[in-house]
Amino acid sequence: MAVSSPMPAHNRKPKSSSSGGGSSSSSLPYTNASADSALTSTLTPQLYLQRMTDLQQMDLQSAIDQMRILLTLYPQRVYKMAYYRKQTKNHWARDDPAFCFLQIVMIAAVSIAYGFAFRVGSFLDIIAVVTKSVLVNWLGFGVIIASVGRLIANNHLMMAERSSSHVKQEVEWLYAFDVHCNAFVPLFVLLYGVQLFLLPVVLGPSLLSLGVSNTLFAMAFGWYFYITHLGYRALPFLSNTEVFLFPIAAVLGLYVFNFVGYPFGLGFNASRIMAYIYFES
């Protein structure tokens, strides 16, 4: 993704100090330090959470459209919107929590369906399953992945500054969490949606059950890390973002190991393990 060079100082038009809002920022990713600080400070996790409590501030249709794009052969198109946000609002992360809100609702709904499928006895047990799915699988896993990804990107993948007029940028934590949310969409479809309808198959003790189950998990996590890579690759100030593809090699290694080790009792069925963790009383 190309980034335009900043205009020479003598060609810039002075901005009025009375102009309001972040929309008055330069259309370039690299801006002066004072403008960058003033604009990015308007998007905080606290403000983001506050907006999540007001449906009128959410564009749910746009969030649904982005989820559809992430399930196509061109998921990188979603990250073009992040570039436009940087141009107009001077931050990469979504300021609309509709995407996260929909994911929480979908995870909760499907978790309840799993509770009925496994004949969870009480209402409190179903609430526990929903809570674990949202707080551990989605939020906890996302916080860890976003924090580690941001740390790697900011400490090891930053491009050298081109000139003294360029302000050094960093990966925003909210953007890193956005990347997790994007990558979670295909994982959710495969491991929450498709797997629900294949429970009679994937929970069996046979090699076929192991193969179907582990194929679902390998596809889900392979897709997850691929979309994660696309998210960091979309940032023009990062280089060598291929490192975010390395976990796919580990996924493939485990996948092959399960088939090779199955005759020796070393293979494991991922669906059976997750069912035991969540639903074994």
Side-chain angles (χ1 to χ4, degrees):
M1 183 179 296
V3 182
S4 301
S5 300
M7 294 171 59
H10 63 274
N11 288 336
R12 290 178 185 165
K13 295 181 180 180
K15 294 190 294 184
S16 172
S17 60
S18 62
S19 59
S23 61
S24 62
S25 66
S26 169
S27 63
L28 299 170
Y30 295 92
T31 60
N32 66 69
S34 59
D36 186 82
S37 175
L39 289 169
T40 56
S41 64
T42 62
L43 182 62
T44 63
Q46 293 79 8
L47 179 60
Y48 192 84
L49 291 174
Q50 289 176 4
R51 291 178 177 177
M52 193 176 288
T53 62
D54 188 355
L55 284 175
Q56 294 182 349
Q57 294 194 36
M58 300 186 206
D59 189 347
L60 298 177
Q61 185 59 52
S62 175
I64 293 172
D65 292 340
Q66 292 176 58
M67 290 181 181
R68 289 174 178 169
I69 293 174
L70 289 164
L71 296 174
T72 68
L73 297 177
Y74 305 99
Q76 62 269 27
R77 291 176 179 173
V78 165
Y79 293 111
K80 291 183 179 180
M81 301 176 189
Y83 182 74
Y84 297 148
R85 281 192 297 271
K86 182 61 179 177
Q87 301 285 52
T88 58
K89 302 179 181 180
N90 207 38
H91 58 76
W92 297 93
R94 292 184 179 98
D95 47 13
D96 181 0
F99 198 94
C100 288
F101 175 80
L102 283 179
Q103 283 194 320
I104 293 173
V105 171
M106 292 189 299
I107 292 170
V110 176
S111 297
I112 292 173
Y114 270 95
F116 285 117
F118 281 91
R119 300 179 181 179
V120 174
S122 68
F123 176 75
L124 290 179
D125 289 336
I126 292 180
I127 295 299
V129 172
V130 172
T131 302
K132 189 181 296 185
S133 296
V134 173
L135 296 185
V136 178
N137 293 1
W138 178 74
L139 182 60
F141 178 64
V143 167
I144 294 172
I145 292 294
S147 300
V148 172
R150 179 176 182 266
L151 183 67
I152 292 173
N154 287 339
N155 291 339
H156 303 288
L157 306 181
M158 301 291 292
M159 286 184 179
E161 295 183 38
R162 305 180 196 180
S163 69
S164 59
S165 62
H166 287 162
V167 177
K168 181 180 178 181
Q169 295 199 84
E170 291 187 345
V171 178
E172 306 157 3
W173 190 89
L174 280 176
Y175 178 80
F177 191 76
D178 267 354
V179 171
H180 156 72
C181 292
N182 291 339
F184 198 86
V185 170
L187 186 147
F188 170 84
V189 170
L190 290 172
L191 298 188
Y192 283 78
V194 175
Q195 184 178 231
L196 177 63
F197 296 99
L198 294 178
L199 285 179
V201 176
V202 298
L203 294 180
S206 67
L207 177 61
L208 174 63
S209 298
L210 181 146
V212 174
S213 169
N214 291 351
T215 298
L216 280 177
F217 274 80
M219 290 175 60
F221 281 98
W223 207 341
Y224 177 92
F225 288 116
Y226 174 66
I227 293 181
T228 298
H229 155 70
L230 293 178
Y232 289 97
R233 193 179 72 176
L235 299 178
F237 52 88
L238 296 182
S239 63
N240 301 320
T241 54
E242 294 80 9
V243 297
F244 292 104
L245 293 174
F246 291 171
I248 297 179
V251 171
L252 292 176
L254 283 174
Y255 181 72
V256 173
F257 171 81
N258 274 281
F259 281 104
V260 174
Y262 180 81
F264 306 99
L266 298 177
F268 60 85
N269 183 318
S271 297
R272 289 170 66 90
I273 292 175
M274 296 306 297
Y276 178 83
I277 293 173
Y278 278 84
F279 301 103
E280 186 72 18
S281 57

